[in-house]
Amino acid sequence: MSNSRTIKPDDKGSVKGAARAPEGMAGLAKGLAVIEAFGIRHPQLTVTDAAQRTNTSRAAARRCLLTLVELGYLTHDNGNFRPTPRMLRLGGAYLDTAPLPQLAQPQLAEARDALGESVSLAVLEDGCSLFVARAEAARIVATGVRVGAKLPAHSSATGRVLLAGLPDTQLDDYLRECHPQPRTPKTLTDVDAISERILTARESGVACTDEEIELGMLSIAVPVRTARGETVAAMSVSTSTARTTLHDIREAAVPVLNKYAARLGRLL
């Protein structure tokens, strides 16, 4: 399994329509682009929002949104469109059939039990870290990461591990097109500093973030590599600054994450 696809990051969060084969269906492509436009930072969209995020006309975006309402994937209230639970079916098709999340789940559960913290698995998707599996610890206050969530690769621990696994040419392309936006006052936005963190992760096999994604959240990630040495995913633990320090969680988590990431890698 390889994750060497070309990366086209857009740190403003726009979902650009992909090139379509002559036999393709333009309406389907636009509808899927509208679906992908929803996310943690965009839980609801207006027609204008959808048009801007999918690079389509307002008329096309409106038709797509209303069609999705008719099919039960969206609700519509006062000009705002929101996903319904039926939207879970789309992601569920991948989670129920793809081998990586299925193989990862037992490893994530054992790592969670060893650490007492939630453990996740992410892959690189269009310049973002996409979470495809997770073993949740019982906590009153969760870290906010969930299956299907996307985080900017440049500012997340999983993303930096995944970027570190890219060939130099692809990493250079990513960094050249990267225009980081701060999510918190601690988010790194200097591309040279981000590059240094990624190269450090490549050398050490570990990436950490300290409140760069969300204030009060710490994250540690390590690569999941195949027998051929390809980085196909990142395994991570996220926790609260109220419970521990970055030093302490790194000391506790890295050996455990490496153990179960290696186990998963042997299965791929």
Side-chain angles (χ1 to χ4, degrees):
M1 296 179 61
S2 175
N3 195 31
S4 58
R5 61 178 293 172
T6 302
I7 299 173
K8 296 180 180 179
D10 187 335
D11 291 289
K12 294 181 180 179
S14 295
V15 181
K16 303 298 183 185
R20 186 171 49 84
E23 300 83 1
M25 297 174 62
L28 176 60
K30 290 176 182 177
L32 292 173
V34 168
I35 288 172
E36 290 185 353
F38 290 92
I40 290 179
R41 302 183 72 179
H42 302 279
Q44 64 182 34
L45 297 174
T46 64
V47 171
T48 299
D49 294 335
Q52 291 175 346
R53 286 179 52 74
T54 59
N55 198 29
T56 59
S57 67
R58 290 186 80 259
R62 183 175 182 276
R63 287 195 298 271
C64 289
L65 290 166
L66 292 177
T67 300
L68 291 168
V69 170
E70 291 177 6
L71 294 174
Y73 289 104
L74 300 177
T75 60
H76 180 213
D77 180 43
N78 292 327
N80 293 308
F81 295 83
R82 300 179 182 84
T84 69
R86 187 170 187 176
M87 193 79 81
L88 293 172
R89 295 185 186 181
L90 302 178
Y94 170 76
L95 297 174
D96 290 342
T97 59
L100 181 57
Q102 293 179 341
L103 292 172
Q105 202 60 48
Q107 311 304 325
L108 299 179
E110 289 194 41
R112 173 202 61 200
D113 293 343
L115 292 170
E117 300 285 354
S118 299
V119 181
S120 304
L121 191 80
V123 298
L124 198 59
E125 174 71 21
D126 291 333
C128 292
S129 180
L130 171 64
F131 289 85
V132 297
R134 182 169 170 84
E136 194 80 45
R139 296 286 184 190
I140 296 176
V141 179
T143 57
V145 175
R146 56 173 178 77
V147 172
K150 284 185 176 182
L151 295 176
H154 59 78
S155 59
S156 59
T158 49
R160 288 172 183 167
V161 162
L162 293 165
L163 291 171
L166 293 177
D168 286 341
T169 53
Q170 289 190 37
L171 178 58
D172 290 344
D173 288 344
Y174 174 88
L175 292 171
R176 186 164 46 250
E177 298 182 34
C178 186
H179 303 287
Q181 301 298 318
R183 291 176 63 107
T184 78
K186 294 190 175 184
T187 303
L188 280 184
T189 56
D190 180 77
V191 174
D192 289 338
I194 291 168
S195 176
E196 183 177 343
R197 294 287 181 92
I198 293 168
L199 294 178
T200 298
R202 178 183 287 178
E203 182 177 346
S204 65
V206 180
C208 308
T209 56
D210 184 354
E211 299 188 283
E212 289 189 58
I213 290 291
E214 179 182 328
L215 290 177
M217 188 177 79
L218 308 171
S219 295
I220 312 287
V222 303
V224 176
R225 298 189 178 99
T226 66
R228 299 181 298 278
E230 297 171 309
T231 297
V232 294
M235 188 177 292
S236 68
V237 60
S238 297
T239 188
S240 167
T241 56
R243 294 199 297 273
T244 187
T245 65
L246 183 61
H247 175 270
D248 288 347
I249 189 61
R250 177 170 178 150
E251 290 290 306
V254 170
V256 174
L257 291 176
N258 279 332
K259 174 182 176 180
Y260 291 101
R263 282 190 183 181
L264 177 57
R266 288 193 291 271
L267 298 174
L268 301 175

